[in-house]
Amino acid sequence: MEKGVQTKKVKMFHGIQTRILALTVFLVMAAVTLCMILGIYTFNRTVMRLVISDIESVTTAYSSMLRLSVLNNNGNMPDTYNLKQIFSDVSVKGVEGSYCYVTDGNGIMLYHPDESKIGQSVENVVVKGLVEKIQSGETPEPAVVEYDFEGETKLAGYNVLRGGQAIIVISADKSVALQAEKSMSDCGSGNLTGSDYSGNCCVPLRGTADT
């Protein structure tokens, strides 16, 4: 009988060991999973900051070029031909379908890669909001914002010339921009901005998206 009691104690001890081991494995796996989730979240936030930085760099560089062109044109906005010379190849490096367009302070298209849009009123919510601010006497600060267009999330970086003379917008699909930045990070290329003005890093447009 005493032997049976000992055997029972041994089995109980092994059972407790098994439970402890299983709990330890579970906790380790949970910790690893949590670290992976946090790592992915942090990486995605970092990538998003890089994308925003890229777009800001392009809009800043080309708004400076446009200001200089206006100054050299006696304070007048360059015509469509000269705007095309400045903006026709503007995009964010590696972000397929990204492009630039320019409107006046009333939201009328002055330049767009799709020439059929020139002279038309821009209908997206970002530009309409900027026009409202300009017409109320404000000059909106440069920014990069998100907006939805036909079920897709778009990124729009904008820069408004002093007095609302013109609005420069860089447009890109958010998903494409994030994937492009991740690919460049994987290749070790770092944060690169598409802009001839800031170092001949601009890539030709591969297509356009709706505004």
Side-chain angles (χ1 to χ4, degrees), residues 107-126:
I108 303 300
M109 196 74 76
L110 299 176
Y111 166 76
H112 192 285
D114 179 355
E115 294 185 1
S116 67
K117 294 180 182 289
I118 296 173
Q120 304 297 315
S121 179
V122 180
E123 293 299 324
N124 77 53
V125 294
V126 175

Side-chain angles (χ1 to χ4, degrees), residues 7 23-25 33 40 44 98-99 102 109 111 114-115 128-129 133 136 142 147 159 162 176-177 184 188 194 202:
T7 302
L23 179 60
T24 302
V25 171
T33 301
I40 292 170
N44 286 339
S98 62
Y99 65 100
V102 182
M109 196 74 76
Y111 166 76
D114 179 355
E115 294 185 1
K128 290 174 75 172
K133 290 182 178 181
S136 69
Y147 69 100
N159 200 305
R162 185 175 298 175
V176 176
M184 286 191 285
C202 183

